[in-house]
Amino acid sequence: MHTVLQVDNVEKYYGSKGNLTKALEEVSFQVDKGEFVGIMGASGSGKTTLLNCISTIDRVTGGHIFVNGRDITELKGNALNRFRREELGFIFQDFNLLDTMTAYENIALALSIQGKGSKEIEKRVKAIAGQLGIADVLQKYPYQMSGGQKQRVASARAVVTDPMLVLADEPTGALDSRAARLLLENFTYLNDQLSATILMVTHDAFTASYASRIIFIKDGRIFTELRRGEEENRRSFFNKIIDVVSLLGGELNDVV
């Protein structure tokens, strides 16, 4: 199995010697191609810091992160910008769509930045829009769309470039329960049918139950992990997640 993401003994400290905060300490794990991995932990556990380091938004204090065998902690300048543009897809809680662009233009922007031709852009945008059920909103602006539609447009934008790794930060946080379920079913489609490799940070057990593996973070360290069995249904996996979250002292507000 090809390893897409390798995190080796990553540490992240904030502050100075007199007032040092350890956000991450000796974190190591890997994600293989085609996996859908969730990262869970209580508020302040370090899960968002970890995602920020993997996405190169933040720099590690120690350790290394490899994406497709390349040490991204060493990248700078144009090489770093190229990596973000060509290897990563981002899905944010607040969508981050450009209000002055239609759904089509928001999705196409990533391809335009890569220098793709107009015919290829049109082909790829229409293909992913059809797969995610948003073909009917391509000419609409964000203010004309529902939250669920906006999140699916954001998902389309994240995967239209066929990135090595898709990073999702609390993707259902701004959605109602119906829209959240639809989005997660789209994630499952992206993972199962398009072989997208997804790393998703979430505090919500319902959202996490759609993943195939969960890494739990506590006080900046990996606490444990759960793998969903090949024949295991989502409800059973959800119950196992609840058991671990209860040990972490988290709060659960959602049920299947």
Side-chain angles (χ1 to χ4, degrees):
M1 183 67 72
H2 178 68
T3 299
V4 169
L5 172 67
Q6 180 77 43
V7 177
D8 284 339
N9 294 313
V10 163
E11 298 189 343
K12 179 62 181 178
Y13 301 162
Y14 294 103
S16 58
K17 285 186 177 180
N19 185 24
L20 198 65
T21 299
K22 295 182 179 181
L24 296 173
E25 192 169 2
E26 297 179 356
V27 174
S28 297
F29 65 93
Q30 70 179 45
V31 177
D32 292 332
K33 182 173 176 56
E35 273 199 286
F36 183 1
V37 178
I39 298 177
M40 293 193 75
S43 178
S45 63
K47 61 184 185 298
T48 298
T49 298
L50 177 59
L51 191 73
N52 287 344
C53 289
I54 294 170
S55 66
T56 69
I57 291 173
D58 215 343
R59 287 277 183 180
V60 302
T61 304
H64 297 272
I65 300 172
F66 300 87
V67 174
N68 201 27
R70 188 181 190 185
D71 188 351
I72 65 172
T73 61
E74 302 293 332
L75 296 179
K76 296 179 181 178
N78 291 335
L80 181 59
N81 291 333
R82 190 180 307 112
F83 165 74
R84 291 171 177 163
R85 183 172 66 241
E86 298 179 358
E87 303 293 339
L88 297 182
F90 296 95
I91 302 173
F92 302 96
Q93 178 177 339
D94 57 358
F95 318 130
N96 279 16
L97 299 179
L98 296 174
D99 293 334
T100 58
M101 290 186 173
T102 63
Y104 181 97
E105 292 167 338
N106 268 282
I107 300 169
L109 182 60
L111 294 169
S112 298
I113 292 173
Q114 289 187 352
K116 304 297 183 185
S118 58
K119 289 185 178 180
E120 182 179 356
I121 290 175
E122 182 178 6
K123 179 182 177 181
R124 290 171 70 167
V125 171
K126 287 184 175 180
I128 193 64
Q131 290 163 343
L132 294 182
I134 52 172
D136 59 334
V137 301
L138 285 179
Q139 300 309 315
K140 291 184 178 181
Y141 290 90
Y143 75 89
Q144 297 172 310
M145 293 182 264
S146 68
Q149 288 171 333
K150 284 188 277 191
Q151 191 59 288
R152 277 181 283 162
V153 170
S155 299
R157 180 185 58 189
V159 300
V160 72
T161 58
D162 193 23
M164 187 62 60
L165 181 64
V166 176
L167 303 175
D169 185 11
E170 300 283 4
T172 61
L175 303 178
D176 60 36
S177 59
R178 180 179 178 277
R181 190 184 295 270
L182 287 173
L183 175 67
L184 292 166
E185 289 172 356
N186 282 323
F187 274 24
T188 300
Y189 177 87
L190 294 173
N191 180 240
D192 290 345
Q193 302 301 317
L194 302 184
S195 299
T197 305
I198 303 172
L199 185 67
M200 174 181 69
V201 163
T202 182
H203 69 281
D204 173 40
F206 172 76
T207 299
S209 69
Y210 280 80
S212 57
R213 176 161 64 107
I214 308 294
I215 297 170
F216 295 88
I217 305 289
K218 182 177 182 179
D219 298 330
R221 290 175 171 267
I222 292 181
F223 178 71
T224 189
E225 74 169 53
L226 285 178
R227 289 182 180 270
R228 182 174 172 180
E230 291 185 8
E231 303 300 324
E232 184 175 10
N233 62 43
R234 193 172 58 78
R235 183 180 292 274
S236 171
F237 194 45
F238 173 82
N239 290 332
K240 290 180 181 179
I241 294 169
I242 289 177
D243 290 339
V244 176
V245 172
S246 66
L247 293 176
L248 290 172
E251 297 180 358
L252 292 169
N253 300 315
D254 297 282
V255 295
V256 174

